[in-house]
mmCIF file of all heavy atoms in Angstrom:
data_model
loop_
_atom_site.group_PDB
_atom_site.id
_atom_site.type_symbol
_atom_site.label_atom_id
_atom_site.label_comp_id
_atom_site.label_asym_id
_atom_site.label_seq_id
_atom_site.Cartn_x
_atom_site.Cartn_y
_atom_site.Cartn_z
ATOM 1 N N PRO A 111 76.739 -37.375 -57.591
ATOM 2 C CA PRO A 111 76.788 -38.164 -58.819
ATOM 3 C C PRO A 111 77.807 -39.303 -58.827
ATOM 4 O O PRO A 111 78.067 -39.875 -59.861
ATOM 5 C CB PRO A 111 77.142 -37.117 -59.879
ATOM 6 C CG PRO A 111 77.926 -36.108 -59.145
ATOM 7 C CD PRO A 111 77.355 -36.073 -57.748
ATOM 8 N N ALA A 112 78.383 -39.660 -57.690
ATOM 9 C CA ALA A 112 79.372 -40.736 -57.657
ATOM 10 C C ALA A 112 78.724 -42.069 -58.020
ATOM 11 O O ALA A 112 77.628 -42.376 -57.576
ATOM 12 C CB ALA A 112 80.004 -40.822 -56.278
ATOM 13 N N CYS A 113 79.410 -42.838 -58.829
ATOM 14 C CA CYS A 113 78.923 -44.155 -59.235
ATOM 15 C C CYS A 113 79.433 -45.193 -58.241
ATOM 16 O O CYS A 113 80.596 -45.162 -57.849
ATOM 17 C CB CYS A 113 79.429 -44.474 -60.636
ATOM 18 S SG CYS A 113 78.887 -46.066 -61.237
ATOM 19 N N GLN A 114 78.560 -46.097 -57.824
ATOM 20 C CA GLN A 114 78.952 -47.133 -56.877
ATOM 21 C C GLN A 114 78.836 -48.493 -57.535
ATOM 22 O O GLN A 114 77.990 -48.726 -58.383
ATOM 23 C CB GLN A 114 78.072 -47.087 -55.638
ATOM 24 C CG GLN A 114 78.234 -45.822 -54.838
ATOM 25 C CD GLN A 114 77.354 -45.847 -53.594
ATOM 26 O OE1 GLN A 114 76.483 -46.671 -53.449
ATOM 27 N NE2 GLN A 114 77.616 -44.909 -52.695
ATOM 28 N N SER A 115 79.695 -49.392 -57.106
ATOM 29 C CA SER A 115 79.671 -50.764 -57.580
ATOM 30 C C SER A 115 79.797 -51.674 -56.364
ATOM 31 O O SER A 115 80.576 -51.394 -55.452
ATOM 32 C CB SER A 115 80.841 -50.988 -58.540
ATOM 33 O OG SER A 115 80.888 -52.330 -58.920
ATOM 34 N N TRP A 116 79.012 -52.743 -56.339
ATOM 35 C CA TRP A 116 79.028 -53.639 -55.191
ATOM 36 C C TRP A 116 79.301 -55.065 -55.634
ATOM 37 O O TRP A 116 78.962 -55.466 -56.741
ATOM 38 C CB TRP A 116 77.679 -53.646 -54.471
ATOM 39 C CG TRP A 116 77.244 -52.345 -53.924
ATOM 40 C CD1 TRP A 116 77.657 -51.771 -52.766
ATOM 41 C CD2 TRP A 116 76.309 -51.446 -54.493
ATOM 42 N NE1 TRP A 116 77.024 -50.564 -52.582
ATOM 43 C CE2 TRP A 116 76.186 -50.340 -53.631
ATOM 44 C CE3 TRP A 116 75.552 -51.460 -55.658
ATOM 45 C CZ2 TRP A 116 75.348 -49.283 -53.895
ATOM 46 C CZ3 TRP A 116 74.715 -50.403 -55.917
ATOM 47 C CH2 TRP A 116 74.619 -49.321 -55.039
ATOM 48 N N SER A 117 79.855 -55.832 -54.706
ATOM 49 C CA SER A 117 79.912 -57.281 -54.800
ATOM 50 C C SER A 117 79.035 -57.783 -53.670
ATOM 51 O O SER A 117 79.341 -57.550 -52.500
ATOM 52 C CB SER A 117 81.344 -57.796 -54.634
ATOM 53 O OG SER A 117 82.096 -57.473 -55.771
ATOM 54 N N LEU A 118 77.958 -58.444 -54.014
ATOM 55 C CA LEU A 118 76.976 -58.863 -53.016
ATOM 56 C C LEU A 118 77.074 -60.360 -52.758
ATOM 57 O O LEU A 118 76.788 -61.161 -53.650
ATOM 58 C CB LEU A 118 75.562 -58.527 -53.486
ATOM 59 C CG LEU A 118 75.250 -57.056 -53.751
ATOM 60 C CD1 LEU A 118 73.853 -56.913 -54.321
ATOM 61 C CD2 LEU A 118 75.376 -56.256 -52.480
ATOM 62 N N PRO A 119 77.448 -60.741 -51.530
ATOM 63 C CA PRO A 119 77.435 -62.167 -51.189
ATOM 64 C C PRO A 119 75.993 -62.676 -51.093
ATOM 65 O O PRO A 119 75.057 -61.881 -50.985
ATOM 66 C CB PRO A 119 78.116 -62.229 -49.822
ATOM 67 C CG PRO A 119 78.487 -60.851 -49.455
ATOM 68 C CD PRO A 119 77.986 -59.912 -50.490
ATOM 69 N N PRO A 120 75.791 -63.985 -51.109
ATOM 70 C CA PRO A 120 74.431 -64.535 -51.024
ATOM 71 C C PRO A 120 73.702 -64.062 -49.763
ATOM 72 O O PRO A 120 74.263 -64.059 -48.666
ATOM 73 C CB PRO A 120 74.667 -66.053 -50.975
ATOM 74 C CG PRO A 120 76.009 -66.248 -51.597
ATOM 75 C CD PRO A 120 76.801 -65.024 -51.287
ATOM 76 N N GLY A 121 72.450 -63.615 -49.927
ATOM 77 C CA GLY A 121 71.629 -63.175 -48.818
ATOM 78 C C GLY A 121 71.929 -61.777 -48.312
ATOM 79 O O GLY A 121 71.241 -61.273 -47.426
ATOM 80 N N PHE A 122 72.926 -61.107 -48.865
ATOM 81 C CA PHE A 122 73.325 -59.781 -48.395
ATOM 82 C C PHE A 122 72.460 -58.708 -49.050
ATOM 83 O O PHE A 122 72.110 -58.803 -50.219
ATOM 84 C CB PHE A 122 74.799 -59.531 -48.715
ATOM 85 C CG PHE A 122 75.337 -58.256 -48.153
ATOM 86 C CD1 PHE A 122 75.653 -58.145 -46.818
ATOM 87 C CD2 PHE A 122 75.515 -57.150 -48.971
ATOM 88 C CE1 PHE A 122 76.139 -56.970 -46.293
ATOM 89 C CE2 PHE A 122 75.996 -55.959 -48.461
ATOM 90 C CZ PHE A 122 76.312 -55.871 -47.120
ATOM 91 N N GLU A 123 72.118 -57.677 -48.257
ATOM 92 C CA GLU A 123 71.346 -56.540 -48.771
ATOM 93 C C GLU A 123 72.153 -55.265 -48.591
ATOM 94 O O GLU A 123 72.673 -55.014 -47.509
ATOM 95 C CB GLU A 123 70.010 -56.422 -48.027
ATOM 96 C CG GLU A 123 69.166 -55.258 -48.515
ATOM 97 C CD GLU A 123 67.828 -55.173 -47.809
ATOM 98 O OE1 GLU A 123 66.910 -55.897 -48.224
ATOM 99 O OE2 GLU A 123 67.719 -54.398 -46.851
ATOM 100 N N CYS A 124 72.272 -54.482 -49.637
ATOM 101 C CA CYS A 124 72.936 -53.185 -49.516
ATOM 102 C C CYS A 124 71.915 -52.091 -49.787
ATOM 103 O O CYS A 124 70.884 -52.313 -50.417
ATOM 104 C CB CYS A 124 74.127 -53.073 -50.463
ATOM 105 S SG CYS A 124 73.689 -52.984 -52.190
ATOM 106 N N GLN A 125 72.214 -50.916 -49.294
ATOM 107 C CA GLN A 125 71.306 -49.778 -49.417
ATOM 108 C C GLN A 125 72.116 -48.542 -49.763
ATOM 109 O O GLN A 125 73.209 -48.340 -49.244
ATOM 110 C CB GLN A 125 70.573 -49.576 -48.098
ATOM 111 C CG GLN A 125 69.700 -48.350 -48.054
ATOM 112 C CD GLN A 125 68.970 -48.225 -46.721
ATOM 113 O OE1 GLN A 125 68.429 -49.194 -46.239
ATOM 114 N NE2 GLN A 125 68.971 -47.039 -46.155
ATOM 115 N N THR A 126 71.564 -47.708 -50.639
ATOM 116 C CA THR A 126 72.199 -46.443 -50.972
ATOM 117 C C THR A 126 71.119 -45.367 -51.127
ATOM 118 O O THR A 126 69.981 -45.670 -51.486
ATOM 119 C CB THR A 126 73.053 -46.549 -52.257
ATOM 120 O OG1 THR A 126 73.770 -45.329 -52.439
ATOM 121 C CG2 THR A 126 72.203 -46.815 -53.476
ATOM 122 N N ALA A 127 71.497 -44.142 -50.822
ATOM 123 C CA ALA A 127 70.581 -43.005 -50.966
ATOM 124 C C ALA A 127 71.114 -42.088 -52.064
ATOM 125 O O ALA A 127 72.302 -41.785 -52.106
ATOM 126 C CB ALA A 127 70.461 -42.243 -49.656
ATOM 127 N N ILE A 128 70.229 -41.675 -52.924
ATOM 128 C CA ILE A 128 70.587 -40.796 -54.039
ATOM 129 C C ILE A 128 69.815 -39.496 -53.859
ATOM 130 O O ILE A 128 68.583 -39.500 -53.799
ATOM 131 C CB ILE A 128 70.214 -41.448 -55.386
ATOM 132 C CG1 ILE A 128 70.905 -42.806 -55.517
ATOM 133 C CG2 ILE A 128 70.566 -40.533 -56.537
ATOM 134 C CD1 ILE A 128 70.247 -43.718 -56.503
ATOM 135 N N MET A 129 70.529 -38.385 -53.734
ATOM 136 C CA MET A 129 69.907 -37.073 -53.576
ATOM 137 C C MET A 129 69.711 -36.455 -54.967
ATOM 138 O O MET A 129 70.641 -36.410 -55.763
ATOM 139 C CB MET A 129 70.775 -36.160 -52.717
ATOM 140 C CG MET A 129 70.963 -36.660 -51.300
ATOM 141 S SD MET A 129 69.434 -36.813 -50.385
ATOM 142 C CE MET A 129 68.919 -35.118 -50.293
ATOM 143 N N ILE A 130 68.501 -35.984 -55.219
ATOM 144 C CA ILE A 130 68.164 -35.377 -56.505
ATOM 145 C C ILE A 130 67.509 -34.027 -56.248
ATOM 146 O O ILE A 130 66.719 -33.875 -55.318
ATOM 147 C CB ILE A 130 67.217 -36.287 -57.306
ATOM 148 C CG1 ILE A 130 67.919 -37.598 -57.613
ATOM 149 C CG2 ILE A 130 66.749 -35.604 -58.576
ATOM 150 C CD1 ILE A 130 67.088 -38.570 -58.379
ATOM 151 N N GLU A 131 67.870 -33.061 -57.084
ATOM 152 C CA GLU A 131 67.300 -31.722 -56.965
ATOM 153 C C GLU A 131 66.562 -31.377 -58.248
ATOM 154 O O GLU A 131 67.067 -31.591 -59.347
ATOM 155 C CB GLU A 131 68.412 -30.702 -56.721
ATOM 156 C CG GLU A 131 67.916 -29.291 -56.569
ATOM 157 C CD GLU A 131 69.026 -28.295 -56.299
ATOM 158 O OE1 GLU A 131 70.207 -28.657 -56.385
ATOM 159 O OE2 GLU A 131 68.694 -27.142 -56.019
ATOM 160 N N CYS A 132 65.368 -30.842 -58.079
ATOM 161 C CA CYS A 132 64.589 -30.374 -59.222
ATOM 162 C C CYS A 132 65.057 -28.956 -59.542
ATOM 163 O O CYS A 132 64.975 -28.071 -58.695
ATOM 164 C CB CYS A 132 63.102 -30.401 -58.895
ATOM 165 S SG CYS A 132 62.066 -29.918 -60.273
ATOM 166 N N ILE A 133 65.565 -28.743 -60.738
ATOM 167 C CA ILE A 133 66.121 -27.434 -61.097
ATOM 168 C C ILE A 133 65.188 -26.627 -61.992
ATOM 169 O O ILE A 133 65.465 -25.478 -62.301
ATOM 170 C CB ILE A 133 67.501 -27.584 -61.775
ATOM 171 C CG1 ILE A 133 67.428 -28.511 -62.988
ATOM 172 C CG2 ILE A 133 68.530 -28.073 -60.776
ATOM 173 C CD1 ILE A 133 68.730 -28.645 -63.759
ATOM 174 N N GLN A 134 64.071 -27.243 -62.414
ATOM 175 C CA GLN A 134 63.122 -26.529 -63.275
ATOM 176 C C GLN A 134 61.719 -26.769 -62.743
ATOM 177 O O GLN A 134 61.310 -27.907 -62.521
ATOM 178 C CB GLN A 134 63.227 -27.041 -64.707
ATOM 179 C CG GLN A 134 62.263 -26.386 -65.647
ATOM 180 C CD GLN A 134 62.316 -27.006 -67.039
ATOM 181 O OE1 GLN A 134 62.797 -28.103 -67.228
ATOM 182 N NE2 GLN A 134 61.807 -26.286 -68.006
ATOM 183 N N GLN A 135 60.981 -25.700 -62.528
ATOM 184 C CA GLN A 135 59.605 -25.817 -62.074
ATOM 185 C C GLN A 135 58.721 -26.095 -63.288
ATOM 186 O O GLN A 135 58.701 -25.313 -64.224
ATOM 187 C CB GLN A 135 59.161 -24.532 -61.377
ATOM 188 C CG GLN A 135 59.952 -24.233 -60.124
ATOM 189 C CD GLN A 135 59.776 -25.316 -59.070
ATOM 190 O OE1 GLN A 135 58.741 -25.920 -58.949
ATOM 191 N NE2 GLN A 135 60.837 -25.552 -58.303
ATOM 192 N N ALA A 136 58.021 -27.216 -63.235
ATOM 193 C CA ALA A 136 57.124 -27.590 -64.319
ATOM 194 C C ALA A 136 55.844 -28.149 -63.715
ATOM 195 O O ALA A 136 55.870 -28.709 -62.629
ATOM 196 C CB ALA A 136 57.786 -28.629 -65.216
ATOM 197 N N PRO A 137 54.721 -27.988 -64.413
ATOM 198 C CA PRO A 137 53.465 -28.491 -63.854
ATOM 199 C C PRO A 137 53.418 -30.022 -63.754
ATOM 200 O O PRO A 137 52.736 -30.571 -62.925
ATOM 201 C CB PRO A 137 52.407 -27.972 -64.816
ATOM 202 C CG PRO A 137 53.126 -27.638 -66.062
ATOM 203 C CD PRO A 137 54.538 -27.321 -65.684
ATOM 204 N N ILE A 138 54.175 -30.709 -64.617
ATOM 205 C CA ILE A 138 54.193 -32.168 -64.609
ATOM 206 C C ILE A 138 55.630 -32.635 -64.467
ATOM 207 O O ILE A 138 56.506 -32.229 -65.224
ATOM 208 C CB ILE A 138 53.592 -32.736 -65.911
ATOM 209 C CG1 ILE A 138 52.146 -32.298 -66.050
ATOM 210 C CG2 ILE A 138 53.705 -34.241 -65.947
ATOM 211 C CD1 ILE A 138 51.486 -32.704 -67.340
ATOM 212 N N ALA A 139 55.877 -33.487 -63.470
ATOM 213 C CA ALA A 139 57.219 -34.017 -63.249
ATOM 214 C C ALA A 139 57.472 -35.178 -64.205
ATOM 215 O O ALA A 139 56.569 -35.924 -64.561
ATOM 216 C CB ALA A 139 57.363 -34.483 -61.809
ATOM 217 N N THR A 140 58.705 -35.301 -64.626
ATOM 218 C CA THR A 140 59.092 -36.431 -65.459
ATOM 219 C C THR A 140 59.652 -37.519 -64.552
ATOM 220 O O THR A 140 60.137 -37.234 -63.455
ATOM 221 C CB THR A 140 60.146 -36.004 -66.498
ATOM 222 O OG1 THR A 140 61.284 -35.483 -65.817
ATOM 223 C CG2 THR A 140 59.579 -34.966 -67.445
ATOM 224 N N PRO A 141 59.598 -38.781 -64.977
ATOM 225 C CA PRO A 141 60.036 -39.860 -64.095
ATOM 226 C C PRO A 141 61.550 -39.921 -63.944
ATOM 227 O O PRO A 141 62.301 -39.484 -64.818
ATOM 228 C CB PRO A 141 59.511 -41.122 -64.784
ATOM 229 C CG PRO A 141 59.375 -40.740 -66.215
ATOM 230 C CD PRO A 141 59.046 -39.275 -66.227
ATOM 231 N N VAL A 142 61.973 -40.473 -62.820
ATOM 232 C CA VAL A 142 63.374 -40.822 -62.583
ATOM 233 C C VAL A 142 63.396 -42.341 -62.519
ATOM 234 O O VAL A 142 62.785 -42.943 -61.634
ATOM 235 C CB VAL A 142 63.901 -40.212 -61.267
ATOM 236 C CG1 VAL A 142 65.320 -40.687 -61.000
ATOM 237 C CG2 VAL A 142 63.843 -38.700 -61.314
ATOM 238 N N ASN A 143 64.039 -42.965 -63.481
ATOM 239 C CA ASN A 143 64.099 -44.428 -63.548
ATOM 240 C C ASN A 143 65.395 -44.915 -62.931
ATOM 241 O O ASN A 143 66.472 -44.363 -63.201
ATOM 242 C CB ASN A 143 64.002 -44.907 -64.992
ATOM 243 C CG ASN A 143 62.696 -44.517 -65.634
ATOM 244 O OD1 ASN A 143 61.634 -44.789 -65.087
ATOM 245 N ND2 ASN A 143 62.752 -43.864 -66.779
ATOM 246 N N VAL A 144 65.308 -45.958 -62.113
ATOM 247 C CA VAL A 144 66.477 -46.568 -61.488
ATOM 248 C C VAL A 144 66.625 -47.969 -62.063
ATOM 249 O O VAL A 144 65.703 -48.784 -61.986
ATOM 250 C CB VAL A 144 66.318 -46.643 -59.951
ATOM 251 C CG1 VAL A 144 67.527 -47.308 -59.323
ATOM 252 C CG2 VAL A 144 66.104 -45.258 -59.370
ATOM 253 N N TYR A 145 67.785 -48.245 -62.649
ATOM 254 C CA TYR A 145 68.073 -49.558 -63.226
ATOM 255 C C TYR A 145 69.218 -50.194 -62.445
ATOM 256 O O TYR A 145 70.170 -49.521 -62.062
ATOM 257 C CB TYR A 145 68.476 -49.437 -64.700
ATOM 258 C CG TYR A 145 67.408 -48.834 -65.569
ATOM 259 C CD1 TYR A 145 67.462 -47.494 -65.935
ATOM 260 C CD2 TYR A 145 66.339 -49.605 -66.012
ATOM 261 C CE1 TYR A 145 66.477 -46.938 -66.734
ATOM 262 C CE2 TYR A 145 65.349 -49.036 -66.803
ATOM 263 C CZ TYR A 145 65.432 -47.709 -67.166
ATOM 264 O OH TYR A 145 64.457 -47.158 -67.945
ATOM 265 N N VAL A 146 69.124 -51.482 -62.226
ATOM 266 C CA VAL A 146 70.202 -52.234 -61.595
ATOM 267 C C VAL A 146 70.882 -53.033 -62.688
ATOM 268 O O VAL A 146 70.242 -53.817 -63.390
ATOM 269 C CB VAL A 146 69.662 -53.179 -60.496
ATOM 270 C CG1 VAL A 146 70.784 -54.004 -59.906
ATOM 271 C CG2 VAL A 146 68.972 -52.374 -59.418
#
Side-chain angles (χ1 to χ4, degrees):
C113 180
Q114 295 181 347
S115 175
W116 299 280
S117 289
L118 300 175
F122 186 77
E123 180 178 278
C124 69
Q125 175 179 315
T126 187
I128 303 159
M129 297 299 295
I130 297 179
E131 181 179 9
C132 183
I133 55 177
Q134 178 185 19
Q135 297 298 327
I138 299 175
T140 59
V142 175
N143 298 308
V144 179
Y145 299 100
V146 177

